[in-house]
Amino acid sequence: MKRIIVAGGGAAGFMSAFHAKRPDTEVTVLEAQEKPGKKLLATGSGKCNLTYASREPVLSYRGTGQDFTEAALQTFDQERTVQFFEELGMLMHEKNGGVYPYTDQAQTVQTLFLDVLRERGVKIKTRERIIDILPQKKGGFFVKTEGWQYEADVVILACGSKAAQTLGGCEDGYHLAEKLGHPVTEIVPALVPLKTKEAAFHALAGLRSPAKVTLFLDGKKAAESEGELQWTSYGISGIVVFQVSRFAALGLLEKKNVQISLNLLPQVNRQHLLAIYQKQTNKKAEHLLSGIFPQKLAALLLKQTGYKAGEILQEESFLEILSLVSDLRLTVTGTRSFEYAQVCAGGIDTAFVNAKTMESKKVPGLYFAGEILDVDGACGGYNLQWAWSSGYLAGYYAANDQKGQVEQNA
Ligand SMILES: Cc1cc2nc3c(=O)[nH]c(=O)nc-3n(C[C@H](O)[C@H](O)[C@H](O)COP(=O)(O)OP(=O)(O)OC[C@H]3O[C@@H](n4cnc5c(N)ncnc54)[C@H](O)[C@@H]3O)c2cc1C
């Protein structure tokens, strides 16, 4: 019997354990927390956006190797993910470009996975924090936890990232990999709110605005996104901000000048606004702006542009205000901490991992899966899809010695 240890009982650990379990393999998942899949339960605000809806995958992944993700995402693609969960017995539906369990409960994904893993004979041991993985001269490993030592022929490292510590996020995986000779790239929070310098805008906390967000690093456009922005007491948040946040975090790390340009009227035609302006008999500044923006924002914009309530806005002044709201500049001073990040940018350097099998190029018999790797996806099901795709490859190849084509029905 080939003994396979899966280090970490999260999304990638579940997927790799499922595919590693064969009649000729013994698979044990070691999970540090009291329950496996804690982070999975929190995904998609508890609803679990388990993949993206498009059948034409938009490869929104970043990390050291730009094409590292390709083999995994092509082998176990979005369609295959949906098929896999259907075979697990799960009904799904599509919402806002994402795929969710029909129950809209992440718990459905966790329960089905745990049921099927147990049914297959995968052992899941909780409160088993791995503290060391020692390769043996004769091949195989000793896997040391805080209270025990296991022997394994193969180890799949799926300890996740440092994001969201209360949900099991930690640095253990990076340290274990480093001890095994695997370099880890700089880790920064990603899919995370941003702190901004302009305190006047902090007063808008609680307000939401449609916005196109463009990120500039030392004056150069680095990323953009469009959606609903959330104003907060420290800066800006919402998916639209998350999408550009990893670039902001890396820019800050490199001591670059990080600026956000907000277009607060992204879908609105300027001519249309002018036509509305021209129709008004009351051209007082506060009246004109209150028809376009929420009260609090209208008042702030007025203040920012130096106009006063009661002042009559000439067409040029109205146009001046429109120019400001189509390129409102904010200075990014930081990201919120790892605790508030959905994922991390950075992780195990993929240059030393075989993209087709997820096996280490340094330590034979050691595999990786999920967010522990230096791969981060956009918001919208991309990170769980990476956990499923990489977990599949790691599990499949951990169980199979031949390093050829992946069987389609494996
Ligand atoms: C609030 C939130 C919402 C999110 N929503 C979505 C979403 O809707 N869609 C999406 O695609 N992505 C989402 N993500 C990201 C997604 O959850 C992760 O990318 C994904 O869970 C990564 O899977 P993983 O298995 O690599 O890591 P994890 O799910 O973090 O699993 C790793 C496991 O390893 C365990 N572990 C760590 N160290 C040790 C050790 N030393 N010994 C034993 N066990 C250890 C941890 O306790 C953990 O259970 C969200 C993340 C957060 C925080």
Side-chain angles (χ1 to χ4, degrees):
M1 276 285 205
K2 194 177 199 178
R3 295 156 305 174
I4 300 173
I5 295 263
V6 178
F14 288 170
M15 194 54 126
S16 45
F18 180 94
H19 287 99
K21 185 70 191 92
R22 298 287 173 94
D24 60 342
T25 61
E26 187 187 286
V27 179
T28 308
V29 178
L30 299 179
E31 166 55 46
Q33 305 275 313
E34 70 288 358
K35 279 191 184 137
K38 213 170 165 185
K39 198 176 274 185
L40 184 62
L41 284 178
T43 56
S45 304
K47 294 179 180 167
C48 188
N49 180 188
L50 59 96
T51 186
Y52 35 87
S54 164
R55 300 259 150 76
E56 310 278 328
V58 185
L59 293 181
S60 298
Y61 292 93
R62 298 101 183 201
T64 31
Q66 280 306 308
D67 40 12
F68 176 78
T69 54
E70 263 170 40
L73 291 165
Q74 276 168 17
T75 308
F76 200 89
D77 60 9
Q78 178 267 0
E79 222 168 319
R80 195 140 174 220
T81 298
V82 171
Q83 193 187 323
F84 172 83
F85 283 107
E86 274 182 356
E87 280 162 13
L88 240 58
M90 192 166 78
L91 184 64
M92 282 156 281
H93 63 164
E94 292 184 8
K95 272 193 308 184
N96 309 321
V99 178
Y100 293 79
Y102 192 74
T103 57
D104 271 339
Q105 291 186 345
Q107 193 159 27
T108 304
V109 184
Q110 189 212 35
T111 305
L112 289 182
F113 244 131
L114 291 178
D115 278 356
V116 79
L117 288 177
R118 285 194 187 109
E119 190 187 82
R120 288 193 145 215
V122 171
K123 288 184 206 139
I124 301 176
K125 295 184 185 265
T126 53
R127 292 199 181 93
E128 278 286 52
R129 180 173 172 232
I130 299 165
I131 51 170
D132 217 346
I133 298 172
L134 304 164
Q136 299 303 291
K137 277 205 186 95
K138 57 180 187 349
F141 304 85
F142 281 134
V143 178
K144 283 187 166 186
T145 65
E146 280 168 334
W148 203 250
Q149 176 164 294
Y150 297 81
E151 276 190 75
D153 300 300
V154 170
V155 171
I156 301 173
L157 207 51
C159 292
S161 80
K162 197 179 158 178
Q165 288 96 322
T166 46
L167 302 171
C170 65
E171 298 187 34
D172 284 4
Y174 310 137
H175 297 320
L176 291 169
E178 270 173 337
K179 268 191 94 177
L180 288 159
H182 271 271
V184 174
T185 63
E186 201 79 52
I187 312 284
V188 293
L191 304 187
V192 68
L194 297 177
K195 295 181 189 167
T196 53
K197 187 172 149 197
E198 293 73 13
F201 288 92
H202 300 170
L204 298 175
L207 209 67
R208 289 164 190 251
S209 306
K212 182 170 177 185
V213 173
T214 310
L215 182 83
F216 290 94
L217 300 179
D218 281 348
K220 269 200 202 146
K221 183 172 154 184
E224 67 181 5
S225 178
E226 197 174 316
E228 189 182 67
L229 176 100
Q230 292 172 27
W231 300 95
T232 70
S233 59
Y234 53 81
I236 48 176
S237 185
I239 291 173
V240 70
V241 173
F242 290 179
Q243 301 291 35
V244 303
S245 62
R246 58 106 57 204
F247 299 102
L250 288 169
L252 290 164
L253 191 75
E254 291 162 13
K255 306 255 178 288
K256 290 190 173 154
N257 173 19
V258 184
Q259 285 225 321
I260 289 277
S261 159
L262 296 179
N263 178 355
L264 297 178
L265 295 168
Q267 298 289 336
V268 185
N269 182 297
R270 216 175 158 88
Q271 290 309 319
H272 187 193
L273 283 169
L274 260 184
I276 291 179
Y277 167 85
Q278 280 151 8
K279 280 182 201 158
Q280 303 307 303
T281 46
N282 181 352
K283 288 198 167 38
K284 283 186 186 151
E286 71 278 17
H287 175 83
L288 288 169
L289 292 190
S290 298
I292 303 173
F293 301 105
Q295 201 69 46
K296 245 181 171 178
L297 180 57
L300 182 62
L301 290 172
L302 212 58
K303 220 169 161 189
Q304 292 287 314
T305 41
Y307 293 101
K308 290 190 182 63
E311 212 169 322
I312 303 295
L313 287 188
Q314 301 303 321
E315 195 170 298
E316 322 69 89
S317 309
F318 183 67
L319 286 174
E320 189 197 338
I321 295 176
L322 290 191
S323 298
L324 174 87
V325 295
S326 63
D327 185 15
L328 185 65
R329 293 283 171 145
L330 298 175
T331 311
V332 178
T333 53
T335 67
R336 283 204 101 188
S337 69
F338 284 98
E339 187 49 46
Y340 298 93
Q342 287 199 357
V343 296
C344 285
I348 291 167
D349 192 334
T350 55
F352 304 97
V353 181
N354 183 330
K356 292 191 174 139
T357 62
M358 294 297 136
E359 189 176 11
S360 160
K361 290 180 185 172
K362 289 178 161 256
V363 185
L366 176 68
Y367 292 77
F368 300 97
E371 217 192 296
I372 191 172
L373 286 155
D374 180 10
V375 172
D376 58 295
C379 201
Y382 293 88
N383 289 293
L384 281 176
Q385 180 61 54
W386 172 244
W388 312 136
S389 300
S390 57
Y392 167 75
L393 282 189
Y396 178 84
Y397 281 108
N400 287 272
D401 287 323
Q402 79 275 16
K403 307 270 188 258
Q405 282 282 11
V406 180
E407 285 169 22
Q408 284 310 304
N409 297 319

